[in-house]
Amino acid sequence: MKKISSGKVREIYEVDEDKLLLVVSDRISAFDYILPAMIPNKGKVLNKISEFWFDYVSDIIPNHIISTDIKDFPNEFQTPEFEGRSMLVKKLKMIPVECIVRGYITGSGWKSYQENGTVCGIKLPEGLQESEKLPEPIFTPTTKAELGTHDENISFDQVCKMLGKDLAEKLRAKTIEVYTKCAEYAATRGIIIADTKFEFGLDENGELVLGDEVLTPDSSRFWPAADYTVGKSQKSFDKQYMRDWIKSSGYDPETKAPIPQDVIDTTSAKYIEAYEILTNKKFDK
């Protein structure tokens, strides 16, 4: 197979002119660095969570999955190392915009709000506290940066200029619709989805299709509802734990120094816990 992309976490192989194989590794990235540690089972968790959500929102928008059954993969990939962490998908013309939706004010959004009362140019009500739920979800797109560089916030007007108003409005509407349905479901499982990002593409007929990954601990902030308290940063099931450890320990990702085993194990456990709570299924290693 021809490898056409190697990202922070995923490897993409070209199967033929219509299909790709996405393989999710156990790599983990933070602050635009790929860290020198593999997180056991992380790739399988991301793959299984995405599969769960793709199916859950299939009534809202079609997705790129053809199969996650290893028996349907090309012969080269019918081996244990690819099982459970790979997807055979339709090749799409990917839209060069990260579709970010925020339901709560946190992270870079909170920082921006403190500075000028806005998030990505969207004026928000005065007096919001850190981690507070927003009156309604907001669409805050970014550019899709090259590996090792930062995504750049862009306004909705800029998206309209890039893609045309009709496609931009459809992207915004579908982003918020998918987030809202999934956030409402996650709330019944005791998880708050504070924010997330989606990627979309166009199929051979020019129809909008949901691709890449959906609502994983890598692309989202998952907070345990039982511990949620407005006015501070929250505990999380996502890779925020690794980010917080880096900040608190003074670890420099540039050095690529070894990461303690207990941090690796705790991170792995958080990914698995997120999967089991959301899907109500035991994770099969």
Side-chain angles (χ1 to χ4, degrees):
M1 291 293 109
K2 176 186 174 186
K3 185 187 287 189
I4 60 172
S5 176
S6 183
K8 292 175 183 173
V9 175
R10 283 168 179 74
E11 311 286 348
I12 305 177
Y13 296 85
E14 186 174 62
V15 175
D16 56 35
E17 61 182 17
D18 301 319
K19 296 187 285 292
L20 302 172
L21 196 89
L22 305 188
V23 182
V24 194
S25 75
D26 289 338
R27 295 192 296 269
I28 188 167
S29 68
F31 305 111
D32 296 317
Y33 290 95
I34 297 172
L35 301 178
M38 294 290 183
I39 306 300
N41 298 302
K42 176 176 177 283
K44 290 183 178 181
V45 168
L46 296 188
N47 208 55
K48 287 176 181 289
I49 287 181
S50 281
E51 185 180 11
F52 171 81
W53 288 122
F54 275 128
D55 180 65
Y56 188 71
V57 299
S58 59
D59 60 328
I60 296 175
I61 187 166
N63 63 70
H64 67 170
I65 296 180
I66 296 171
S67 178
T68 57
D69 188 338
I70 196 168
K71 293 193 292 293
D72 296 328
F73 296 172
N75 289 336
E76 300 95 312
F77 292 93
Q78 292 187 18
T79 60
E81 65 183 296
F82 295 104
E83 190 163 12
R85 64 173 68 246
S86 309
M87 283 184 182
L88 186 66
V89 302
K90 298 174 190 172
K91 189 183 289 187
L92 304 174
K93 181 183 177 184
M94 296 306 290
I95 294 169
V97 172
E98 299 266 3
C99 294
I100 295 171
V101 55
R102 302 171 189 264
Y104 292 73
I105 188 157
T106 186
S108 62
W110 170 242
K111 184 178 178 183
S112 174
Y113 176 77
Q114 288 178 293
E115 291 170 356
N116 54 36
T118 69
V119 177
C120 298
I122 300 170
K123 183 70 176 173
L124 295 178
E126 294 181 5
L128 293 176
Q129 298 181 65
E130 183 177 7
S131 303
E132 188 168 349
K133 186 175 183 178
L134 297 172
E136 58 184 19
I138 59 173
F139 178 64
T140 59
T142 71
T143 58
K144 288 175 67 173
E146 295 298 316
L147 189 63
T149 60
H150 285 289
D151 296 337
E152 297 290 337
N153 293 333
I154 52 177
S155 68
F156 181 67
D157 285 344
Q158 286 174 288
V159 178
C160 290
K161 288 175 184 173
M162 288 171 62
L163 307 175
K165 189 177 179 189
D166 287 350
L167 181 54
E169 288 184 342
K170 191 170 185 180
L171 274 180
R172 179 171 65 180
K174 289 298 181 184
T175 294
I176 291 174
E177 187 179 2
V178 170
Y179 168 78
T180 300
K181 179 177 182 178
C182 295
E184 288 173 355
Y185 166 79
T188 70
R189 304 293 306 151
I191 288 181
I192 293 169
I193 303 177
D195 53 36
T196 193
K197 75 170 180 70
F198 301 118
E199 293 195 35
F200 296 87
L202 300 174
D203 68 10
E204 67 278 10
N205 300 313
E207 294 298 314
L208 195 64
V209 176
L210 186 58
D212 195 54
E213 62 180 323
V214 178
L215 289 156
T216 70
D218 269 15
S219 65
S220 321
R221 283 188 175 94
F222 293 152
W223 297 340
D227 297 325
Y228 173 64
T229 307
V230 173
K232 63 176 188 177
S233 62
Q234 307 297 310
K235 293 180 181 177
S236 67
F237 292 115
D238 52 63
K239 69 175 180 179
Q240 191 62 41
Y241 169 79
M242 181 66 82
R243 293 193 194 103
D244 290 344
W245 174 80
I246 289 170
K247 285 181 180 177
S248 63
S249 68
Y251 178 86
D252 183 356
E254 273 195 277
T255 66
K256 297 196 177 297
I259 292 173
Q261 189 62 44
D262 65 309
V263 175
I264 292 170
D265 292 343
T266 300
T267 303
S268 177
K270 285 181 176 291
Y271 275 81
I272 292 171
E273 186 179 13
Y275 168 81
E276 292 184 339
I277 292 173
L278 283 170
T279 66
N280 199 27
K281 294 178 182 177
K282 190 74 177 168
F283 178 72
D284 181 8
K285 298 178 182 180

